[in-house]
Amino acid sequence: MSGVGPLEPGEGTHAGDVDTDDVPGVRRGPLARLSDRHRRAVLTAATAAVLLAGGGYVYATRPHKPPAPAPPYPSQVVDITYLHTEAAPRGAPAGSFSFEVALRVQSGPAVTVTRIAQPYAGLSLTSEPAVPFRTAAGSRRKITITMRVTDCGKAPENAGLPFLDVTLRNKRVIEAHSYIPGSRYAHDLSEALQVACSNRST
């Protein structure tokens, strides 16, 4: 009777190719199980690092919206135009006279006028509306300026090139600016000063 010998590996197979993970009843040692867990943890961490790096690259290279341009300086968008003389307000002190000017804000955010002054030591100045007042872009506001001679010795006899000092504020900056209302304003101011200091009427 012939016996049956050990089974030979099939063609294309080797004894070392058997995966013991899939063989029932084969137990693996704790060292092998620890090595598997370590490989899985390293693989998970590596995958997370790759995803994080990819996300960072996408964020860094995505197109960014350019920042909004800064608002203009208020003096660049505000102009003041001389209109005409005005009667002094009722109850104004002797030596008072008034003018009307127009302030216009061309563009940008609203502009607040915080101060209106003039350069002569012998004169005081008030305005209606009183400062501070705010004017929106695209708007034109009429301002009545009333001056009073406080000292004729310090007031100019002939205001050759008078100007108004105006302090403006918008979202960007507070800015002091001098406006020259023009030759008609210079003429009318000189006339008003002569009347106030000589007590004569035109």
Side-chain angles (χ1 to χ4, degrees):
M1 184 174 73
S2 60
V4 178
L7 295 175
E8 294 295 328
E11 185 178 349
T13 64
H14 303 280
D17 289 344
V18 179
D19 187 355
T20 56
D21 286 343
D22 298 330
V23 179
V26 176
R27 301 182 62 185
R28 307 185 68 213
L31 186 59
R33 290 195 298 272
L34 180 63
S35 177
D36 285 346
R37 286 196 295 269
H38 178 70
R39 281 198 302 271
R40 285 193 294 270
V42 169
L43 182 60
T44 301
T47 302
V50 169
L51 291 174
L52 184 61
Y57 175 78
V58 170
Y59 177 80
T61 57
R62 71 188 175 103
H64 292 278
K65 185 178 180 181
Y73 287 95
S75 64
Q76 295 175 336
V77 295
V78 170
D79 58 56
I80 292 179
T81 305
Y82 177 67
L83 298 178
H84 48 71
T85 59
E86 280 281 309
R90 178 177 292 183
S96 297
F97 47 90
S98 297
F99 308 100
E100 192 168 77
V101 300
L103 179 146
R104 184 169 65 97
V105 180
Q106 301 169 27
S107 60
V111 174
T112 299
V113 176
T114 62
R115 178 176 175 266
I116 303 176
Q118 53 77 44
Y120 303 114
L123 301 176
S124 66
L125 182 151
T126 58
S127 70
E128 177 59 41
V131 295
F133 58 85
R134 186 170 180 264
T135 305
S139 298
R140 181 174 181 267
R141 181 188 290 269
K142 290 183 179 180
I143 306 165
T144 300
I145 292 175
T146 299
M147 296 186 189
R148 182 172 72 90
V149 178
T150 57
D151 186 343
C152 284
K154 295 181 180 179
E157 293 183 5
N158 183 17
L161 195 63
F163 54 87
L164 295 172
D165 293 322
V166 183
T167 302
L168 307 166
R169 183 182 75 229
N170 68 359
K171 290 181 178 180
R172 179 168 186 171
V173 72
I174 298 175
E175 187 178 20
H177 192 73
S178 295
Y179 290 90
I180 301 174
S183 58
R184 287 197 307 114
Y185 172 70
H187 175 269
D188 290 349
L189 176 59
S190 295
E191 287 286 320
L193 289 171
Q194 290 174 21
V195 170
C197 289
S198 64
N199 289 322
R200 68 176 178 83
S201 60
T202 56

